[in-house]
Amino acid sequence: MEVKVVETAKEKDDAFKVRYEVFVEEQNVPAELEIDEFEAEATHFVAYDKISPVAAGRYRIKDQLAKVERICVLIAYRKTGMGQQLMQSIEKHASEMNLKGMKLNAQLTAVGFYERLGYHTVSEEFMDAGIPHVTMTKNF
């Protein structure tokens, strides 16, 4: 499996395809919320199993932090290490940009995953797209 920084229109389409399947089809997030006004400024990532896109995510630089968003892995690839590989690639890229650390809004069901990667909860629970979340951070 390979994680890539998105460089082509096809790679971006592949990332969007994974995001649509996970967020819109699986989690019932409204399609109009899934693609947002921050797509152009974000650095996107897509993970492939051979030629098939299986995971995706992005980050934006905000207050010297990498604001990680839209992390998703297809159901068949969860619990395979793919999510960890994706996050490590994003963190490596962000650290090379000399940022102070990472920030993300985690769905409550994913908090344990992020804690295992060294993230700490820094907010109360809140709703986003009808799904409970908390904000988590990790310093470099």
Side-chain angles (χ1 to χ4, degrees), residues 77-140:
Y77 290 86
R78 292 181 196 154
K79 301 195 186 306
T80 67
M82 187 72 259
Q84 181 176 347
Q85 188 176 342
L86 174 65
M87 286 300 297
Q88 287 170 339
S89 294
I90 292 171
E91 289 175 7
K92 181 178 184 293
H93 190 277
S95 71
E96 291 169 355
M97 301 294 290
N98 294 315
L99 300 174
K100 294 189 297 188
M102 313 289 287
K103 179 179 180 178
L104 56 84
N105 294 331
Q107 294 182 7
L108 289 189
T109 57
V111 167
F113 167 76
Y114 291 114
E115 286 175 339
R116 288 188 293 280
L117 295 176
Y119 288 79
H120 303 281
T121 300
V122 295
S123 77
E124 296 296 319
E125 182 179 319
F126 62 92
M127 298 298 283
D128 186 9
I131 300 169
H133 286 70
V134 292
T135 299
M136 303 183 80
T137 61
K138 178 180 181 177
N139 293 326
F140 288 139

Side-chain angles (χ1 to χ4, degrees), residues 24-44:
V24 178
E25 293 179 356
E26 178 187 338
Q27 297 183 353
N28 299 310
V29 171
E32 61 272 12
L33 295 180
E34 208 295 299
I35 301 293
D36 67 16
E37 68 272 21
F38 303 116
E39 302 300 347
E41 72 182 71
T43 301
H44 296 266

Side-chain angles (χ1 to χ4, degrees), residues 4-59:
K4 297 186 68 177
V5 176
V6 168
E7 295 176 343
T8 68
K10 184 195 180 309
E11 290 168 349
K12 194 173 216 180
D13 287 345
D14 287 345
F16 287 171
K17 178 182 172 194
V18 174
R19 287 170 43 181
Y20 187 89
E21 186 171 331
V22 172
F23 296 122
V24 178
E25 293 179 356
E26 178 187 338
Q27 297 183 353
N28 299 310
V29 171
E32 61 272 12
L33 295 180
E34 208 295 299
I35 301 293
D36 67 16
E37 68 272 21
F38 303 116
E39 302 300 347
E41 72 182 71
T43 301
H44 296 266
F45 295 79
V46 62
Y48 292 95
D49 180 4
K50 298 183 178 72
I51 62 167
S52 299
V54 299
R58 72 179 192 190
Y59 80 83

